[in-house]
Amino acid sequence: MSMTATRWLMHAPGQPFAAAGFEPVPGPGEVVVAIAGCGVCHTDLGFFYDGVRINHALPLCLGHEVSGQVVAAGPGAETWLGKAVIVPAVIPCGDCDACRRSKETICPNQKMPGNDLQGGFASHIVVPARGLCPVELPALQAAGLDLAAVSVVADAVTTPYQAVTQAGVQTGDLVIVNGVGGVGGYCAQIARAFGATVVAIDVSDEKLAPMADGIAGLTLNARQVSGRELKGAISEFARQRGLRHRSDWIIFECSGTRAGQEAAFGLLNHGATLAVVGFTMDKVEIRLSNIMAFHARALGNWGCAPRLYPDALAMVLDGRVQVGRFIEKHPLDDINRVFPAVHTGEIKRRAVLVPSPAAKSLTSVTRSSAHGH
Ligand SMILES: [Zn+2]
Ligand SMILES: [Zn+2]
C-alpha cells in the first residue's frame, strides 16, 4: 500500500497554484516528511511574481521553510523515522571541497526545496536526511510553540543567525538592522542575544513597533529620518549609550530594496561591517571606494550551514528569539489567496501554510504501511 500526498504546483509564474496528488517515495539516504508548516518567503514571491530563475523545470512546488515529522525513510536514513525535524532551506552535499572546508553554503551540489527539489507547499516532502535539524517536542511545548511555528527556523531565523555569527557580533557592539520585517526582525533579536545594542530602521511604523518593545534600543523610520540625519541620530544614540559612535558599526541590510541598500551603505564608518542579507534584482549606485577609505568590509550570506541550526533553534526554544508574534498560520488550501495577500502587504507577518487536518490524518493512517514499504 502506498502513501498519497498532495502538493500545490506552480505551472507558470503568476498563474494560480494547482493541487496535484503524488506518491512520496524516499530514495537511499532520503526521508519523507509529513509537513507541519511551510513559511512563505520573499524568495517564493520572487519566483512566482518576478520571474526569478528557478533551477527545477516547471511545474514545481515552491516552499523552502519546512518543519514536520519523518514518516518514511529510505536505506541509511532509518534512524530519522518518527522524529520531528526542521528541513534546512539549503541542503549541502557534505562531500565536496567547499563542504569539507566548512563552506557549505557555497556547496555547488546544494539542494534547495522549492527550487532544486519539489518544495514544502504540500502535505509531504521528500528530502535528503543529511542536515535535518531534530526538534525535541517537549522543549517545543514548554516554549509554548508548535512544530508549524518553528518552520521559520528553516530560513527566516537561520539566515540572519549565520549572518550575525559570520559578522562576529559580540557584547558591546552597535548593530544596525535595516528592514525589520521577517528576516530583519529575527536578525535584530539574534544580534541582541549575542550582546549587541540594536538600532532598527524601517519605513513601516507597524514593523518598528515590536522592535521598540524590548528588542531595539532605538527605532528609526527611514521615511522621516534619512541620509546624514540618520547617521547623526545613530551616532548620538551610540554616544549616549557609551558605545562606539564613530566606528565599527555592524550593519545588516535586510530590506532587499534599492533604497535600503543605498541607505545601509551610507551608514558605513571606519572599521564597519556591512552584511548584505536581503536580496533585490535592482542595481544601486554607491562609491565602492568608501569600503577602502573606511577600512570597512562587506559580507554576503546565502542561507545557513545546517550545523548552525541547533544553536539557532535553541535561541527560539529558550525565548531569546521570539517567533510566535511574528508569524500567522493559514491553511495550505488557501495558498492562492495567501500569496497575493503577502505580495500586496495585506499580510504583514510571516505567513506559514499549514496542510489541512485531512492531509495530516492521512499521514497517520499510512504511517505503518509506509514503514513496511
Ligand atoms: Zn527564503
Ligand atoms: Zn558540498
Side-chain angles (χ1 to χ4, degrees):
M1 189 180 155
S2 61
M3 200 183 327
T4 314
T6 304
R7 56 169 66 120
W8 288 82
L9 295 173
M10 167 176 153
H11 286 270
Q15 283 182 19
F17 296 97
F22 71 105
E23 189 185 328
V25 179
E30 292 181 335
V31 295
V32 175
V33 176
I35 294 173
C38 181
V40 178
C41 177
H42 190 75
T43 305
D44 296 311
L45 300 184
F47 289 148
F48 189 68
Y49 288 104
D50 306 331
V52 173
R53 202 178 68 83
I54 297 174
N55 292 333
H56 194 284
L58 297 178
L60 178 72
C61 177
L62 302 181
H64 55 268
E65 207 170 70
V66 177
S67 59
Q69 192 163 20
V70 176
V71 291
E78 295 88 348
T79 55
W80 287 96
L81 207 56
K83 289 199 171 134
V85 294
I86 293 165
V87 180
V90 176
I91 308 164
C93 79
D95 295 323
C96 71
D97 175 56
C99 285
R100 282 197 302 269
R101 290 182 294 126
S102 297
K103 299 186 80 172
E104 304 95 321
T105 57
I106 59 163
C107 168
N109 313 314
Q110 63 181 241
K111 301 286 182 225
M112 178 176 167
N115 186 7
D116 300 292
L117 312 170
Q118 294 290 346
F121 299 135
S123 65
H124 297 77
I125 187 171
V126 183
V127 289
R130 180 193 294 275
L132 288 174
C133 175
V135 181
E136 299 301 333
L137 293 175
L140 196 61
Q141 200 172 19
L145 296 167
D146 62 17
L147 193 50
V150 292
S151 62
V152 294
V153 173
D155 185 16
V157 173
T158 41
T159 295
Y161 186 88
Q162 160 125 347
V164 170
T165 307
Q166 181 177 253
V169 172
Q170 50 186 306
T171 303
D173 282 335
L174 182 83
V175 160
I176 301 160
V177 180
N178 190 43
V180 289
V183 166
Y186 296 122
C187 187
Q189 295 190 70
I190 294 162
R192 184 171 172 275
F194 273 84
T197 298
V198 175
V199 176
I201 305 171
D202 207 291
V203 292
S204 156
D205 283 335
E206 208 173 335
K207 287 180 178 165
L208 287 169
M211 295 295 115
D213 182 17
I215 295 168
L218 175 68
T219 58
L220 293 163
N221 189 321
R223 289 203 198 283
Q224 288 145 23
V225 191
S226 60
R228 277 176 186 279
E229 266 182 75
L230 189 66
K231 204 168 182 176
I234 298 168
S235 186
E236 177 57 21
F237 167 77
R239 199 184 56 74
Q240 282 171 7
R241 291 289 181 103
L243 302 168
R244 295 177 198 97
H245 64 284
R246 280 208 283 232
S247 73
D248 295 277
W249 291 355
I250 304 176
I251 304 143
F252 293 91
E253 198 324 277
C254 300
S255 77
T257 64
R258 176 182 173 160
Q261 291 186 338
E262 287 177 344
F265 194 82
L267 293 173
L268 282 180
N269 55 18
H270 287 94
T273 299
L274 173 64
V276 182
V277 185
F279 178 84
T280 173
M281 291 289 279
D282 294 343
K283 295 175 180 176
V284 296
E285 193 170 282
I286 53 172
R287 191 195 297 127
L288 195 60
S289 298
N290 285 9
I291 291 181
M292 170 268 181
F294 283 135
H295 203 127
R297 58 178 185 156
L299 304 171
N301 199 77
W302 174 255
C304 177
R307 67 191 147 78
L308 298 179
Y309 274 60
D311 291 340
L313 175 62
M315 281 195 170
V316 170
L317 293 179
D318 69 17
R320 280 176 291 169
V321 174
Q322 300 168 20
V323 297
R325 66 197 280 204
F326 297 104
I327 62 168
E328 57 183 73
K329 294 173 199 162
H330 292 272
L332 173 61
D333 292 350
D334 287 350
I335 186 170
N336 285 315
R337 189 183 57 76
V338 171
F339 256 64
V342 174
H343 191 226
T344 59
E346 184 193 322
I347 293 178
K348 293 198 169 54
R349 292 180 291 181
R350 190 76 156 192
V352 174
L353 294 177
V354 177
S356 69
K360 274 185 190 160
S361 62
L362 184 67
T363 297
S364 51
V365 168
T366 54
R367 187 168 163 180
S368 54
S369 59
H371 193 195
H373 177 76

